[in-house]
Amino acid sequence: MFRLDKSQIEVIVPGIIETLIYKHDTKREEKMHKYYLGEHKILDRKFADESKPNNKIVANWCEYISDQHVGYFMGKPVVYSSKNKEYMQEIQDIYDSNDEQKINYEIAEQCSRYGYGVEILYTKENQSGKKEPRFRPLPLIENNIILVFDNSVEENLILAIRYWENEDVLDDSKSLHAYVYSEHINYHFIQKDNEEFFLESEEAHGYGEVPVNYYWNKGSQLKSDFEGIITLNESYEALVSDDVNESESSTDAILKVWGIDNIPETQEMKEKRLLNFGKVEKDEKADAEWLIKNINSEWKENQKNRTKKDILDLSKVPDMTDKSFAESSGVALERRILPLENTRSTKERYFKEGLQRRIRMITNILNISKKYDYLDIDIKFQRNLPTDTQTDIANAVALVGTNIASMQTLRKMAHIEDPAYEKELIEHENEEYIRLNVKDDIDEQNNGTIKEAHTTNGEEVKQA
């Protein structure tokens, strides 16, 4: 992340691009990516004595913590609603064509791993030839992303750069490509043979802002969900690996002998796991016994359990393997996940800013021919927590007609994802029900009139 005065980028010149790329550092993102995949420090461990057991066991708490946070935060899709039905339908159609729920989840994964996530917005022609807004996440390991903010208190994004080195498989030539996104124009620069960047192409866009959207995980400090427990994870892996090493050493115990001639060479002794003390005095007998190291397994287990507890406590993730966790009541369960819930609330606030920026930019495209206000779209997150649905529905039904809560609120209590839409369906069904009943009444009345016309003095008149 960089900060510049907006006046410094009024004209995009190759020198600015080259300087920003040169100063851009991606080591942190690469480290977070490796630790999520399980490429941990323990895998590089070596001993001076190569004959010693050297197990390298990876216990990937980083992956577990990230997956738990993302699943709880974005396991259920975001719900959007608006009083402007036409506007809401247009946004929903665009979101459906972009697979918005999947993209939100992928961005939440980026935020959890790296502390932030990035997506790009562009336009693409649909089957009818009309240009539609599109958005896709930008994987931070495959794409080098530079975000440049201004020096105002609002910290507005004024420039974004996506760059990578391209190698031509046909002639083995290499070139550096840089796509530069500004408020109104997208630029494509290329650098060949370490010469100066040259402008390959430029294209105007209608988003009204830099069409690269960013999402913070827990703020602009760029802190991932597992960054703070990496050293604890390494300590846990060392404990587990050493545990296995000691167990293996005990299995391969050394035979200690004395009073026997033909002492083998040192290397041979290591291979045969034999320790020979040579000859004994005349009155001593030759003997042998196993040399076994006493392992304090209880101390080791306590160390692992304490380290595991520290990992879970600091990462705000509850211990799902704890038997009492499954037996907890609803209130007790909410108390136990309070740290995770607090983190989710923080994530929600920052993620909502990114979703609002996305809607605002898409609305700028729609407003070329319409006049919508992006603030008319309400955004609602849902925590992915197992709930007693039947009990919640029963509680909601019990409150109907009590004037304690509106029907809209009661529908939310009953876990209806879109209460406003559900209300419309009910109203439509009621109207249809009334229409059918009225028709039946009319038919019945008509039938009665006809029957009365065909009777005289209570007797039916037979027609020829």
Side-chain angles (χ1 to χ4, degrees):
M1 313 299 168
F2 296 100
R3 299 288 291 271
L4 291 174
D5 287 327
K6 195 171 183 179
S7 59
Q8 294 177 276
I9 60 157
E10 286 182 354
V11 179
I12 307 298
V13 296
I16 293 177
I17 302 168
E18 192 168 351
T19 301
L20 291 174
I21 291 176
Y22 176 76
K23 292 186 175 182
H24 187 226
D25 188 2
T26 60
K27 291 179 181 176
R28 178 185 166 276
E29 285 84 355
E30 291 168 1
K31 179 182 178 182
M32 295 301 106
H33 182 66
K34 286 182 178 180
Y35 268 83
Y36 179 82
L37 294 180
E39 299 174 13
H40 295 187
K41 187 178 178 181
I42 189 72
L43 296 174
D44 299 323
R45 187 171 72 166
K46 296 180 181 178
F47 291 139
D49 184 357
E50 296 182 356
S51 66
K52 288 177 61 178
N54 185 16
N55 290 280
K56 304 172 184 179
I57 297 174
V58 173
N60 200 347
W61 286 106
C62 297
E63 179 189 22
Y64 176 79
I65 289 165
S66 180
D67 290 351
Q68 291 298 318
H69 275 285
V70 175
Y72 183 64
F73 172 56
M74 198 57 71
K76 290 185 177 180
V78 180
V79 177
Y80 306 89
S81 60
S82 175
K83 293 180 180 179
N84 189 332
K85 297 180 181 179
E86 180 188 357
Y87 180 30
M88 186 67 248
Q89 189 59 53
E90 287 207 55
I91 292 293
Q92 194 61 58
D93 290 342
I94 292 170
Y95 276 13
D96 289 344
S97 64
N98 281 276
D99 201 356
E100 170 262 347
Q101 294 182 11
K102 175 175 172 287
I103 289 174
N104 285 352
Y105 197 90
E106 291 176 355
I107 294 173
E109 287 180 324
Q110 286 189 27
C111 290
S112 178
R113 297 174 197 177
Y114 311 111
Y116 69 106
V118 181
E119 70 178 348
I120 183 171
L121 288 88
Y122 58 99
T123 55
K124 186 178 180 180
E125 287 189 0
N126 58 19
Q127 294 178 348
S128 61
K130 181 183 177 182
K131 284 191 173 182
E132 289 184 341
R134 300 280 179 177
F135 49 92
R136 288 289 180 273
L138 293 174
L140 297 178
I141 297 302
E142 299 174 12
N143 298 268
N144 297 304
I145 308 296
I146 299 174
L147 301 177
V148 182
F149 298 87
D150 64 15
N151 288 314
S152 69
V153 293
E154 294 179 349
E155 297 184 351
N156 299 304
L157 182 67
I158 56 176
L159 195 72
I161 301 174
R162 177 172 64 101
Y163 70 94
W164 71 93
E165 188 174 56
N166 184 62
E167 183 174 354
D168 194 319
V169 295
L170 298 178
D171 58 11
D172 294 329
S173 62
K174 293 182 179 181
S175 57
L176 185 62
H177 290 251
Y179 281 86
V180 182
Y181 305 93
S182 68
E183 189 174 343
H184 300 291
I185 301 174
N186 298 334
Y187 304 89
H188 179 199
F189 287 88
I190 300 177
Q191 181 188 65
K192 293 182 178 180
D193 301 323
N194 293 323
E195 295 179 354
E196 190 178 76
F197 277 101
F198 65 88
L199 181 62
E200 174 69 13
S201 64
E202 63 178 84
E203 182 182 7
H205 62 81
Y207 284 103
E209 302 179 38
V210 177
V212 171
N213 195 19
Y214 60 92
Y215 299 77
W216 302 138
N217 188 41
K218 302 171 186 174
S220 56
Q221 297 84 4
L222 307 186
K223 190 173 181 181
S224 80
D225 288 329
F226 56 81
E227 197 163 355
I229 60 92
I230 285 179
T231 53
L232 280 169
N233 200 154
E234 292 172 346
S235 175
Y236 185 87
E237 290 168 341
L239 286 167
V240 175
S241 298
D242 288 342
D243 229 2
V244 178
N245 288 343
E246 289 184 347
S247 177
E248 191 174 318
S249 297
S250 298
T251 303
D252 297 335
I254 296 174
L255 181 63
K256 179 175 70 175
V257 300
W258 60 92
I260 301 176
D261 294 328
N262 301 323
I263 300 175
E265 296 293 331
T266 304
Q267 184 59 35
E268 187 181 354
M269 288 173 60
K270 282 185 176 181
E271 292 173 356
K272 294 183 177 181
R273 308 202 68 77
L274 177 69
L275 186 61
N276 195 336
F277 285 92
K279 295 181 179 180
V280 295
E281 300 298 330
K282 291 181 180 181
D283 55 342
E284 290 182 327
K285 294 181 180 179
D287 203 351
E289 66 180 28
W290 289 105
L291 185 63
I292 301 174
K293 179 181 179 181
N294 292 324
I295 301 174
N296 190 344
S297 58
E298 184 178 352
W299 178 86
K300 295 281 287 183
E301 199 62 28
N302 288 338
Q303 278 288 94
K304 284 190 292 184
N305 289 336
R306 190 177 77 175
T307 305
K308 175 184 174 181
K309 184 178 184 303
D310 289 343
I311 288 172
L312 295 175
D313 288 347
L314 291 176
S315 62
K316 313 296 191 297
V317 174
D319 186 1
M320 300 293 184
T321 61
D322 190 348
K323 292 181 180 179
S324 61
F325 190 90
E327 299 169 358
S328 299
S329 64
V331 176
L333 184 63
E334 293 206 353
R335 279 204 198 104
R336 298 190 69 168
I337 66 166
L338 182 60
L340 181 62
E341 175 62 22
N342 290 337
T343 302
R344 188 201 67 83
S345 299
T346 303
K347 284 171 171 283
E348 179 180 315
R349 292 184 181 95
Y350 286 104
F351 207 90
K352 185 176 182 179
E353 288 183 352
L355 293 179
Q356 286 180 323
R357 278 193 299 271
R358 179 202 285 168
I359 293 173
R360 186 170 67 227
M361 284 190 276
I362 292 174
T363 303
N364 289 340
I365 295 290
L366 297 178
N367 281 347
I368 294 174
S369 59
K370 301 291 180 66
K371 193 174 181 180
Y372 296 133
D373 183 356
Y374 78 97
L375 293 176
D376 287 344
I377 303 292
D378 293 324
I379 302 171
K380 181 178 179 295
F381 292 82
Q382 305 180 91
R383 59 178 182 172
N384 188 19
L385 183 67
T387 54
D388 188 349
T389 306
Q390 290 184 343
T391 300
D392 290 342
I393 292 174
N395 292 336
V397 171
L399 292 174
V400 173
T402 61
N403 293 326
I404 294 176
S406 66
M407 289 302 298
Q408 188 90 342
T409 301
L410 296 180
R411 289 189 182 100
K412 290 179 181 179
M413 286 178 57
H415 304 285
I416 294 173
E417 290 188 1
D418 192 344
Y421 179 65
E422 194 67 27
K423 179 184 176 183
E424 289 182 11
L425 290 178
I426 293 173
E427 290 175 350
H428 177 73
E429 288 179 352
N430 289 339
E431 290 174 359
E432 186 70 13
Y433 177 77
I434 292 172
R435 188 183 67 81
L436 291 173
N437 282 347
V438 169
K439 183 177 182 299
D440 290 343
D441 290 342
I442 292 173
D443 290 343
E444 189 175 337
Q445 290 175 6
N446 290 338
N447 290 335
T449 303
I450 294 171
K451 186 175 182 180
E452 184 178 353
H454 290 170
T455 59
T456 302
N457 297 327
E459 296 181 2
E460 186 176 355
V461 178
K462 294 183 179 180
Q463 297 183 5

